[in-house]
Amino acid sequence: MNTRKAPAADPQRRRTRHLVLLLVAGLAALGLFYHRPQWKRYQQHQQQLEQLQQQAQAQQQQNQQLAQVQRQLDQARRFLDRQHHRHLLVSVEELVGGLMGVFSGKEVQVRQFRRREVRRRTFLQEVWIDVDCQGTLPEVFRVVAELERLPQPVWIEQLQLAPAGEHPQQVRCHLLLRGFAGNLQQSG
């Protein structure tokens, strides 16, 4: 008896397995078709989120750069306010005259003194001056030290020393100076 029932149960089990497999495959296909558009939307939202995060980071960096520029601008304004308060920003002519006074009457021989250019800004003017002079090393450095002690803001942008060919104890000094003068038209 067991042999006869076994073959009858076997086709029924196969049908049940086939039905279960078909049902599972159908559910998987349904799940795939149902969830695939949602998965694509999820990926799109994920990409949008990443783009928004990148934009937020870029905006944050720009804000930090803006804050840094604002600090630099505030620092420059405080510097200018101090200079105007101390009356150190003079006209271009007074600045050039003061610089010429440093070099005149000294042991240093001025070979060239020329104003290169004037760059006008809102509150001040940059004055670029080339100076070529000759003297002994201590004399040249006394003049440079005197430039550093001027009440007007003067920066030594370039300083070149070379031996003077005709006099063994003397040096040639080339200076590129940047002075700052007040923009008297703006300050009223």
Side-chain angles (χ1 to χ4, degrees):
M1 286 183 152
N2 287 342
T3 57
R4 288 183 188 171
K5 288 185 179 180
D10 195 46
Q12 190 175 10
R13 281 188 180 168
R14 278 190 211 161
R15 274 189 236 138
T16 307
R17 284 184 196 159
H18 285 270
L19 275 170
V20 168
L21 285 174
L22 277 173
L23 185 61
V24 168
L27 286 173
L30 181 64
L32 244 167
F33 288 117
Y34 177 74
H35 289 291
R36 186 173 179 170
Q38 289 181 349
W39 178 254
K40 284 184 179 179
R41 281 195 301 265
Y42 171 76
Q43 287 177 330
Q44 289 173 348
H45 287 300
Q46 189 70 22
Q47 288 174 350
Q48 288 174 351
L49 179 64
E50 289 173 4
Q51 289 174 350
L52 288 174
Q53 287 174 340
Q54 290 173 354
Q55 289 174 355
Q57 287 175 347
Q59 185 68 36
Q60 189 176 25
Q61 287 176 347
Q62 286 177 348
N63 289 343
Q64 290 172 348
Q65 290 173 346
L66 181 63
Q68 182 180 3
V69 168
Q70 186 64 42
R71 284 191 300 272
Q72 290 172 346
L73 182 60
D74 291 341
Q75 184 180 11
R77 283 185 178 144
R78 285 192 303 272
F79 170 77
L80 288 174
D81 288 343
R82 283 193 309 269
Q83 300 307 321
H84 279 292
H85 179 69
R86 294 178 187 163
H87 302 291
L88 296 181
L89 290 179
V90 296
S91 69
V92 173
E93 292 77 20
E94 289 178 79
L95 177 66
V96 172
L99 288 173
M100 288 177 82
V102 169
F103 289 96
S104 65
K106 305 288 187 254
E107 298 96 20
V108 174
Q109 175 189 7
V110 177
R111 304 181 89 173
Q112 178 184 355
F113 187 97
R114 76 177 172 97
R115 190 167 79 184
R116 253 186 171 180
E117 65 179 304
V118 175
R119 294 182 186 165
R120 297 189 188 286
R121 306 287 187 224
T122 304
F123 294 105
L124 57 87
Q125 301 175 69
E126 290 180 41
V127 182
W128 292 81
I129 298 172
D130 271 325
V131 180
D132 200 12
C133 60
Q134 182 174 328
T136 65
L137 194 60
E139 293 168 348
V140 168
F141 275 106
R142 273 195 290 270
V143 170
V144 170
E146 201 169 319
L147 284 173
E148 293 287 329
R149 286 191 297 263
L150 280 175
Q152 294 86 17
V154 175
W155 294 350
I156 299 173
E157 293 291 332
Q158 190 177 42
L159 174 84
Q160 294 176 339
L161 294 173
E166 57 271 2
H167 303 289
Q169 293 187 355
Q170 291 198 349
V171 293
R172 282 189 72 186
C173 177
H174 177 79
L175 293 162
L176 178 59
L177 305 174
R178 180 165 46 152
F180 296 95
N183 195 351
L184 300 179
Q185 293 83 11
Q186 289 291 330
S187 59

